Amino acid sequence: MPAAALKPKPLPTQSTAKRAVLLDSPYAPAEKRPLPAGRPREWYVTHNRRLKAMRLAIALLDSGVYLPNQARDETIRSTAESIGVHPPSATTCHMVRALMRYSR
């Protein structure tokens, strides 16, 4: 018998299930932990910028903006305001579009 036949079938995902897959709700974010000490300041700035860009990219995708060329700076900044995040810089807006581009 081939080895592939012995593998258990994976659980269906939202896109492959015949009926909607119930998600655990309500969603609770992971517990925050302090960042490691002793790194250069630039590391912390970059780290926080990446986290902010990921939050914004997720919010844009949830709101129906799927392509990077749809996410202009004004759109990203209005999304930041709606989710309660400080307005992002041009660098962060660029990073949001890059995340949306490479996730495809």
Side-chain angles (χ1 to χ4, degrees):
M1 183 175 277
L6 298 176
K7 285 186 179 178
K9 227 176 169 182
L11 294 174
T13 62
Q14 189 74 31
S15 61
T16 61
K18 291 178 180 40
R19 292 185 311 264
V21 176
L22 295 177
L23 300 175
D24 296 334
S25 61
Y27 169 73
E31 186 177 326
K32 289 188 177 182
R33 296 179 309 190
L35 293 175
R39 307 258 174 128
R41 176 174 166 69
E42 189 57 37
W43 184 89
Y44 298 105
V45 170
T46 304
H47 176 77
N48 289 329
R49 179 171 281 148
R50 285 181 185 146
L51 291 178
K52 186 177 196 174
M54 282 191 285
R55 281 190 208 103
L56 288 167
I58 291 168
L60 285 166
L61 291 169
D62 287 344
S63 69
V65 177
Y66 300 112
L67 299 173
N69 59 357
Q70 294 174 326
R72 297 190 322 269
D73 287 358
E74 302 84 36
T75 309
I76 295 171
R77 289 190 176 112
S78 66
T79 303
E81 185 179 335
S82 68
I83 65 171
V85 176
H86 286 287
S89 65
T91 305
T92 305
C93 290
H94 185 272
M95 193 177 285
V96 169
R97 285 188 289 275
L99 282 170
M100 293 175 76
R101 185 174 300 119
Y102 293 120
S103 68
R104 296 185 61 77

